[in-house]
Structures are given as C-alpha cells and as structure tokens.
Amino acid sequence: MTHPTDRSTVFTITEAIRRAARSPLFRKYVALFLAVVSAVLLFNALFMVWFSYQETRAGLIKLQREQAESAASKIGQFVREIENQLGWTTQLPWSTAAIEQRRFDGLRLLRQVPAITELVQLDGKGLEQLRVSRLSMDAVGTLTDNSKELKFTSALANKIFYSPIYFRRESEPYMTLSMAGARRDAGVSVAEVNLKFIWDVVSQIKVGQTGQAFVVDAEGRLLAHPDISLVLRKTDLSKFEQVISARQRPNLPDQERIQVGRDVRGERVLTAHAGITPTGWLVFVELPEYEANAPLRAALARSALLLLGGLSLAGLAGLFLARRMLVPIEAMRAGAMRIGSGDLDHRITIKTNDELQELADGFNDMAGRLSESYTDLEGKIEIRTRELAQSIADLRTLGEVSQSVNSSLNMDDVLSTIVAKAVQLSRTDAGSIYVLDHPGNTFTLRANFGMTERLIAEIGRQQSGMGLTMIGRAARSRQVVQVADLLTEPDNPVQALLLTSGFKAVLAVPLIGVDSVVGCLIVRRKQTGEFAPQVVDLMQTFAAQSTLALQNARLFREIQEKGRQLEIASEHKSQFLANMSHELRTPLNAILGYTELIIDGVYGAVPEKSRQVLDRVQVNGKHLLSLINDVLDLTKIEAGQLSLSLADYQVGSLIDGVISATGSLAQTKGLELRASVEPGLPTAFGDERRLKQVMLNLVGNALKFTDKGHVEVAALKDGDTLRLRVSDTGPGIAARDQAKVFEEFQQVDTSSTKEKGGSGLGLAITKRIVEMHGGTVGLTSEVGVGSVFTVTLPIRVAAKKVPHD
C-alpha cells in the first residue's frame, strides 16, 4: 500500500519535471551553458587564429627579409667583383709608353667581366687616353677633356664613383663606375656596367604565388623589377612609405621596420628590404596581403565549423544537465512555497546524493525549527510590543520635558515637571532637584516629587553643601554617584531621614553648566540594588534639561534687566534730544531774526566788513538750525512721533520745487542741474512736504560732493510705483561704504565731512521717511564715475490713522 506522503512526493517530482522544462531558469541555464561553451570555443579559436596569423606573418616577413638580404648580397658581390677587376687597371702610373699594355689589360677585362661594355682610361689631368668598347671602335689618344666630369673629380676625391642608373636603347640599365689609382699620376679608369645581372637576380626570387622582388637606387627610382615596363618608365618609388622608411632609417631593428605597405598597384603587401653595399641601393621583397592571409582565412573557416559543432554538442549537453539540475531545484521551489505559505509539516524529498539533497534537508530542518518556534513567537511579539510601547512612552515624556523647558520661563514649574517625569521614567519612588547657591556654596531644594511634607521640611533644615553627602560628592567629581544600599554609607543626618522614610537606594546626577556645577538631580528608590545603565543615561538627559532650564531662566532675567536699562536710556536720550532741540532752536531763531534785521538796515547802516561777518553768522546759523531740525526729526522718528500728512500731489511740481531751491547752489559751483520728468505722470498720494525733504537731501548731497559735471533729477512711472532718481558725476562711493551711508551720523570719510560739512543724518532721515511711505531707497555707485540714488515709492500710499505732527 502506498503511503500518502510517498504519493505527494511522487506528484511533486513529476510536477517539478513538467515545470522545469518550461521554466525561465531552465532556458537561462541552457543559454548560459551555451554561452560559456561558445565563449571558450570562440576564445580558443581566436587565440589559435591570432597566434597562427602572427607566426605565419612573422615567418613570411622573415623569409622575405632573408631573400632580400640574399639578393642584396649577390648584387653587392657582383658590384665588388667589378670594382676588384677594375682596380687592376689603376695600379700603373700613366705614361705614353704603357698605352699598349693598358689597352691589352682593358681587352682582357672586357673578356673576363661580361657586364662591362666599355672601359675608358683618363690620365691625371682628366684627358681621355684610351677607350676599349664592345659597342664601338676602340680609340687611343683622343685627349677628350673630362677633368670637370663627376666621374673624374669624384673618383679622385673618393677613390670610387657610382653614377646614377641610365638606360641604353631604352631597354637595359647601365651604371658608370670609375676608380682612381693609389697615385694621382695613375689616372682614373671609367667602366660602363650593364646591370642586366640585377634583373636576373630579382627574377629568381619567388614569394608565394604572386610575391615579387625589386631594386631601387639611392634616390628611390626603380632599378629592377619583374615587370620591365615599370623600369623602362623610370618609375619613382621614393614616395612609398616602405621606401621612405628604409631610406631615412636604414638601421632600425627588425621589429620596428615597416612590415605592411602598398605596391605600385596600390594593394597592401607584406614588405621586407635589405641594403646593397656599397652602392646604397635597396632590395625589396613583397607579398600581397590577401595571399599572406589565406592561411588565416582557412583557419577561420575551420574554427567556424568547430564552433558550430561545439555549439551543437553544448546545446545537447546543456539540455541534459539543465534537466538534471532544475528538476530537484523546481521540487525545492514548490516545497519552499508550501512551507512559506504556512504548511510547516510539509517535507521535501530529493535523492540526488549531492549538495541539492543537503539543501533540501536544510529546508526540512528549517521547517521543523519554524514549527517549534512558532508557538513562542506570539509571546515574544507581545513582550516586544510592551517594550516598544514603553519606549514610545519614554520618548513622549522626554518630548513633554523638552517642550516645558522651551515654552516656559517659570523655573519652578519647569523643574517640578522634570523631576516628576524623571521619577516616572526611572521607576523610582521619589526625586529632588537642588540648585547651588554660589555665595554660600550650598545646595537649595527647588523641586521634589514623591516626598512627604515632613521629610521635605526635615531635609530643608539640613544644609547640603559641598561636604561628604552624595550631592557634594557628585558636584566635586562632576560624575554620577549612586548608592545601591544606604546602609553601607557613612552616617549623616540626611541618610538617617531617608532610611527612616524607607528609601534604600539613591542616584545623584550633577547639573553641569558651561564652566561650573549649577545643581544636582536626585532620584530615590525603596529597593536596594544598582541602577540600570539605561536609567543612568536617562537621568543624565534629565540633568541636561534641568541645566538648560536654569540657564534659560538666568539669561531671561539678564535680558529683562538689560532691556529695562536700555529702555530707560533710550527714553532719556530721546527726551534729552527733544528738549535740547527745542531749547537750541528758540535762541537760534532769535539770533537769525536779529541778524537779518541788522543786515536789512533796520537798526542803521552797517559797514561792509560788519555785513560780511553778519552774512557768515547768518549762513552758519541756518546750517546749525538745519542740523538741529535733522536731530529733532530723527528723534521723532525713533520715538514713533513723526507721522505723514497724506494728500494728493503732482510729481512734476515736486521736482520743480527741488530744482528751484537748489539751483543757486548749482550755479555757484558751476554745475549743470537738470530735470527729466516722464510726461503724463499720474497724481500721486503721499506726504509732499516730507518727500520734498527727501529729494532736497539727495540733490543737496549730490551738489555738495560734486565739483564738476552735472546733477540730474529724474522721475518716471514703473507699474504701480514711482521711481525718483538723483544721479551725479561726483567722486563716487566705494562698495564697502555704500551700506553705512544710510546709518545715523555716518559719512564716507571724515575728510569729506570736514571739507563739505554735514551731520551724517540726511540719508538716515531720507531712508526712514521713504520706508514710512512703504518704499525703498537704493544706491549704485562707482568710484571716480559718480553715484545714483533711486527712491521707489507706491503711487498711492496707504493712509494710516496717526496724529499729525
């Protein structure tokens, strides 16, 4: 009889086989296997092809270089043999008696060296004495002058001369070779050499099916090539990359030489060369690159076939291995889903005798442990929930303490809240906060919780100073002090009172301020034992809050006292300035009035000198009166007694009045004072008298500090606002000084104050009046260019219910 568990296992495995065949993991596994095998095969093929290509190419280049060197050696040997044979004709000194011997030697040279077609012997003066030729009649004593020819002069200078290549009958290349004797009177022997031998050498060089060799002279012109037509056309190869490199850098190491170039047809070729000594010619051996790469193409074809076969085998192997791997994995997945859904009694059965079986056993073991621990989970959750609830309550309590410290300046209420919450969170029975009285160096009880009135009174009668009590110890050490059992402490009156009231353990936390101890927080418990570390940390937090409350209270008292003192001083200052302004204005008005009467001649004629003095008195008196009025205005503004008389006014009339009032000053200083008012400005609403005062201050300052140029007053509309602008060509104001010019009693520098005069109140009053209108005043200036003051005002100032001044 089949057990139900066995049927379930069989079903699970059967279902796993069915699902594995269509699972994404199955496809991924097969694809990954194919990719790995493909990568290995491809890498191996590329590796083999690359190295085969490099080896084949290196071998071809080496073979070409060896062939070029062999050909260069043969051609060089050919030239040197001609040099050796020609050298015998230069041994004897020149004389007419030896002419027949030299002719005999020349004929023998032509028989022994077929490449020499003609021999000419020149005496020491360059005159032709003998000509022996295969192509023409022999000649003796023609005395043709060759003393200016290179074949004579260069041979004398260098002992040997090689001429450029030339062609005879437009078919065969020739070269003139001349040699000088060891003695100058031996003359110079000149031989015409047929270079057809070089063609024979080049034609015998075979590289692959289509490779070929050629020779170029020292100038890069084609000297020998299997295609004779290229030679006859005198093909110039001096611009070819491999020829340029070989000519300019003939001694480069083999690995640095150019190995790929282009032939005369423009096709890419593998190239190697060798130099021919002593002529300076170059032998090149080249093989078309497409032919050199034929083995590479064949290797690639073989690798492609191998890769295709490997992929086929890898696909079959991947299918087989994926099925063997993924069937048990699918079974584990299905079992894990059942366990995860809550069926902790389900077990996964896999018999593969490998790590997959161990993993399945691990799942089964995990399901068993989960089943065992599930019964304890609810209890643990409940305990953790209680702990979290307690933590939330603690955080809420700390928040209440912080709110109390930050929202109340009543120190007693704040300290009472702190000590109550400290006792609550520390799970103790009572607590106190003591504040240190520095003059007496004693602690005074300021707040308590959980203590009887009798105990409070008794402790209050005991002075708690910096002695041996727990408070004193905590204050001296600035560290937390705790006593797990009061019976272990030395006897003292406070200890006896606490023991009588049933307290057994005490924790003292000092309240540490910025530079000193300001008090102490005490919590008391009726059970013995150490206080938990988290309780100690919590009490230190409450101590910090208590310290903050004490500091806030002290600062508030200090601020209140300072504020009261400043308020009294401000009242005294304002009253003094107001009184003094009135007291000074009364006699000053009388002085100005009498001065004007005297000047007008009411009291008789005034001498000219006296009139000048009286004029200065009147000018200075009016200036003093202006200063007193400024001080009085500023005093009213600061006291809030200056109000605005609002009414409709015309901006153009306001500007005209300012220009009329300041025109004489501008004319006296020789300055141009001009106004620019935008046409059609609307009727404005504001205090015309105060705004005129503002503009007079700005224009007066501009005229006062400007020595040449002009001052311009402009008015324009900008939306719902008016812009009144005063610009000048004065000395300008530095950026660092622009902010302080609107402060009371401030000017840019003291030198200008002494020279131009002024109290430094005009711009401060201007700024206050503009702000009372709801506007702003701004400044832009550049040193040496000038300044622009801009007043921005609402066209219609909002009316305020204030008394008129």
Side-chain angles (χ1 to χ4, degrees):
M1 184 176 181
T2 304
H3 196 273
T5 303
D6 297 335
R7 288 199 301 270
S8 176
T9 301
V10 171
F11 171 78
T12 301
I13 295 177
T14 304
E15 181 66 16
I17 294 173
R18 184 176 60 82
R19 291 181 179 179
R22 64 172 187 271
S23 68
L25 182 60
F26 180 84
R27 293 191 294 272
K28 290 179 182 178
Y29 188 87
V30 173
L32 179 62
F33 190 82
L34 285 173
V36 171
V37 173
S38 301
V40 172
L41 291 175
L42 184 60
F43 177 78
N44 180 68
L46 292 177
F47 182 82
M48 295 300 295
V49 168
W50 171 254
F51 278 95
S52 174
Y53 168 72
Q54 293 295 331
E55 291 174 357
T56 302
R57 181 168 175 167
L60 290 173
I61 293 293
K62 183 179 179 181
L63 175 61
Q64 291 176 220
R65 187 166 54 252
E66 290 175 351
Q67 290 176 325
E69 290 174 351
S70 175
S73 177
K74 290 180 180 179
I75 295 172
Q77 182 64 32
F78 165 73
V79 174
R80 283 191 293 272
E81 287 179 0
I82 293 176
E83 291 176 3
N84 293 333
Q85 294 292 338
L86 187 61
W88 287 105
T89 66
T90 63
Q91 300 300 318
L92 298 175
W94 188 265
S95 65
T96 306
I99 189 66
E100 287 300 323
Q101 180 62 38
R102 284 181 176 271
R103 183 171 179 274
F104 176 77
D105 291 340
L107 293 173
R108 184 177 62 180
L109 177 62
L110 294 181
R111 288 194 301 272
Q112 292 178 350
V113 184
I116 297 177
T117 60
E118 184 176 274
L119 173 66
V120 176
Q121 290 191 335
L122 308 177
D123 61 15
K125 296 179 181 180
L127 301 177
E128 181 180 312
Q129 298 291 344
L130 175 65
R131 178 185 298 273
V132 181
S133 175
R134 299 179 190 274
L135 306 176
S136 61
M137 297 295 292
D138 296 344
V140 178
T142 62
L143 301 180
T144 303
D145 188 5
N146 293 278
S147 62
K148 304 298 183 181
E149 300 290 334
L150 279 176
K151 58 186 177 182
F152 177 74
T153 57
S154 181
L156 290 179
N158 302 317
K159 299 302 181 182
I160 190 167
F161 167 73
Y162 303 98
S163 74
I165 306 303
Y166 56 92
F167 292 85
R168 279 191 171 184
R169 304 188 187 93
E170 296 300 327
S171 61
E172 295 180 348
Y174 278 81
M175 174 186 70
T176 298
L177 174 66
S178 60
M179 295 184 65
R183 297 170 51 180
R184 183 173 180 84
D185 59 359
V188 175
S189 295
V190 182
E192 284 191 354
V193 182
N194 189 326
L195 299 180
K196 186 177 180 299
F197 170 78
I198 301 177
W199 285 358
D200 298 336
V201 173
V202 168
S203 300
Q204 293 174 3
I205 297 176
K206 297 295 182 182
V207 183
Q209 298 296 323
T210 58
Q212 57 190 8
F214 61 88
V215 180
V216 297
D217 63 10
E219 301 300 325
R221 291 187 297 270
L222 190 62
L223 181 60
H225 193 279
D227 186 355
I228 187 64
S229 63
L230 295 176
V231 179
L232 295 178
R233 289 199 299 268
K234 301 179 182 180
T235 304
D236 186 4
L237 303 180
S238 61
K239 303 299 183 181
F240 282 55
E241 186 179 4
Q242 61 268 36
V243 177
I244 294 173
S245 176
R247 292 175 58 200
Q248 293 180 351
R249 297 181 293 178
N251 298 320
L252 280 178
D254 293 343
Q255 63 274 16
E256 296 184 17
R257 293 185 180 183
I258 290 181
Q259 298 180 351
V260 178
R262 294 191 180 275
D263 60 10
V264 293
R265 294 184 298 275
E267 297 179 358
R268 291 173 60 86
V269 293
L270 299 183
T271 179
H273 71 275
I276 301 174
T277 56
T279 60
W281 301 340
L282 295 170
V283 179
F284 286 87
V285 178
E286 295 181 345
L287 177 67
E289 193 173 37
Y290 73 87
E291 181 178 343
N293 293 335
L296 175 62
R297 292 193 293 273
L300 286 174
R302 291 192 299 270
S303 299
L305 293 175
L306 179 62
L307 179 61
L308 182 61
L311 288 177
S312 301
L313 293 176
L316 296 175
L319 291 173
F320 176 75
L321 292 176
R323 187 178 297 276
R324 291 293 301 272
M325 288 287 292
L326 294 181
V327 166
I329 291 177
E330 181 63 27
M332 282 193 295
R333 186 187 69 83
M337 291 181 64
R338 290 186 60 179
I339 293 173
S341 64
D343 186 4
L344 300 180
D345 294 329
H346 176 72
R347 296 295 180 267
I348 302 172
T349 303
I350 293 178
K351 302 296 182 182
T352 57
N353 297 321
D354 56 14
E355 288 80 359
L356 292 176
Q357 182 175 341
E358 293 179 1
L359 183 59
D361 294 341
F363 270 104
N364 294 333
D365 184 62
M366 177 189 67
R369 292 179 181 274
L370 287 174
S371 180
E372 293 174 359
S373 61
Y374 185 74
T375 55
D376 299 332
L377 183 59
E378 292 184 356
K380 293 179 180 179
I381 292 175
E382 184 178 356
I383 294 172
R384 184 57 180 163
T385 302
R386 286 199 301 270
E387 292 176 351
L388 290 174
Q390 185 61 47
S391 298
I392 293 172
D394 293 348
L395 291 174
R396 186 180 296 111
T397 302
L398 288 174
E400 293 173 358
V401 171
S402 298
Q403 183 178 3
S404 176
V405 170
N406 295 324
S407 62
S408 176
L409 294 173
N410 189 324
M411 186 172 63
D412 292 335
D413 291 346
V414 173
L415 295 180
S416 297
T417 301
I418 291 175
V419 71
K421 298 300 182 181
V423 171
Q424 176 186 344
L425 293 185
S426 63
R427 281 72 170 175
T428 53
D429 301 298
S432 305
I433 292 180
Y434 291 86
V435 177
L436 181 62
D437 184 9
H438 285 287
N441 205 27
T442 59
F443 286 93
T444 302
L445 179 64
R446 293 296 300 271
N448 67 84
F449 182 83
M451 296 169 55
T452 63
E453 294 294 334
R454 177 176 175 276
L455 181 59
I456 294 172
E458 290 294 334
I459 293 178
R461 283 193 288 272
Q462 305 291 335
Q463 286 287 51
S464 298
M466 299 288 282
L468 299 177
T469 63
M470 287 187 60
I471 298 175
R473 286 157 53 191
R476 286 196 309 274
S477 65
R478 296 195 175 193
Q479 300 290 331
V480 175
V481 175
Q482 64 170 306
V483 176
D485 190 349
L486 283 174
L487 293 175
T488 61
E489 288 291 295
D491 294 336
N492 62 73
V494 176
Q495 177 195 16
L497 290 172
L498 294 175
L499 288 173
T500 302
S501 301
F503 294 107
K504 303 292 181 62
V506 180
L507 177 67
V509 183
L511 308 183
I512 302 174
V514 177
D515 53 3
S516 63
V517 175
V518 298
C520 189
L521 170 64
I522 302 288
V523 291
R524 303 177 179 92
R525 193 172 59 196
K526 293 184 178 181
Q527 294 83 26
T528 59
E530 294 282 342
F531 288 85
Q534 57 268 30
V535 173
V536 176
D537 294 338
L538 189 60
M539 291 305 100
Q540 288 179 315
T541 301
F542 277 101
Q545 296 289 345
S546 303
T547 303
L548 182 60
L550 293 172
Q551 292 175 342
N552 288 346
R554 186 184 74 249
L555 290 174
F556 180 70
R557 288 195 301 273
E558 293 177 355
I559 291 172
Q560 281 184 323
E561 181 62 24
K562 294 294 184 182
R564 188 180 63 81
Q565 293 175 2
L566 290 174
E567 184 178 355
I568 293 172
S570 179
E571 291 177 358
H572 289 171
K573 183 203 73 170
S574 299
Q575 187 63 39
F576 172 77
L577 289 175
N579 292 338
M580 288 302 297
S581 298
H582 282 291
E583 292 298 327
L584 290 172
R585 238 182 349 181
T586 301
L588 187 57
N589 284 328
I591 292 172
L592 292 175
Y594 282 115
T595 303
E596 186 173 356
L597 291 175
I598 294 171
I599 293 173
D600 291 341
V602 174
Y603 299 104
V606 180
E608 184 61 29
K609 289 186 178 181
S610 298
R611 181 179 294 276
Q612 292 177 0
V613 173
L614 290 173
D615 287 338
R616 287 196 296 271
V617 170
Q618 190 175 33
V619 170
N620 287 289
K622 288 181 179 180
H623 179 63
L624 180 58
L625 181 61
S626 174
L627 295 179
I628 293 172
N629 288 333
D630 287 345
V631 171
L632 185 58
D633 285 344
L634 184 61
T635 303
K636 285 184 177 182
I637 291 173
E638 290 182 346
Q641 299 175 356
L642 183 67
S643 60
L644 302 178
S645 298
L646 302 178
D648 290 338
Y649 67 93
Q650 298 298 325
V651 179
S653 299
L654 173 67
I655 299 301
D656 290 341
V658 172
I659 296 297
S660 298
T662 55
S664 59
L665 178 59
Q667 187 176 4
T668 301
K669 297 190 67 175
L671 300 174
E672 179 186 0
L673 178 61
R674 58 197 185 199
S676 174
V677 179
E678 181 181 337
L681 288 180
T683 300
F685 184 74
D687 191 333
E688 183 177 3
R689 183 171 67 88
R690 290 298 181 184
L691 292 177
K692 186 175 181 180
Q693 180 183 354
V694 166
M695 295 304 294
L696 285 173
N697 276 336
L698 295 177
V699 175
N701 281 346
L703 292 172
K704 180 169 60 175
F705 290 100
T706 302
D707 294 327
K708 59 181 180 179
H710 68 272
V711 174
E712 182 177 7
V713 183
L716 54 92
K717 180 177 178 292
D718 185 5
D720 294 333
T721 62
L722 289 174
R723 292 191 183 274
L724 307 178
R725 186 169 60 245
V726 177
S727 57
D728 61 61
T729 56
I733 302 172
R736 64 178 180 275
D737 297 325
Q738 291 179 13
K740 71 179 184 180
V741 297
F742 292 102
E743 300 175 4
E744 294 87 348
F745 307 102
Q746 292 289 335
Q747 286 188 338
V748 175
D749 55 50
T750 57
S751 62
S752 63
T753 303
K754 292 177 181 180
E755 181 181 352
K756 306 293 185 179
S759 63
L761 294 177
L763 289 180
I765 295 172
T766 294
K767 182 174 182 291
R768 301 290 184 88
I769 292 174
V770 171
E771 289 175 347
M772 290 176 68
H773 280 77
T776 59
V777 57
L779 166 64
T780 58
S781 181
E782 184 178 350
V783 176
V785 177
S787 304
V788 178
F789 286 85
T790 303
V791 176
T792 303
L793 296 169
I795 297 177
R796 308 290 296 179
V797 177
K800 297 182 180 179
K801 295 181 180 180
V802 293
H804 297 291
D805 58 336

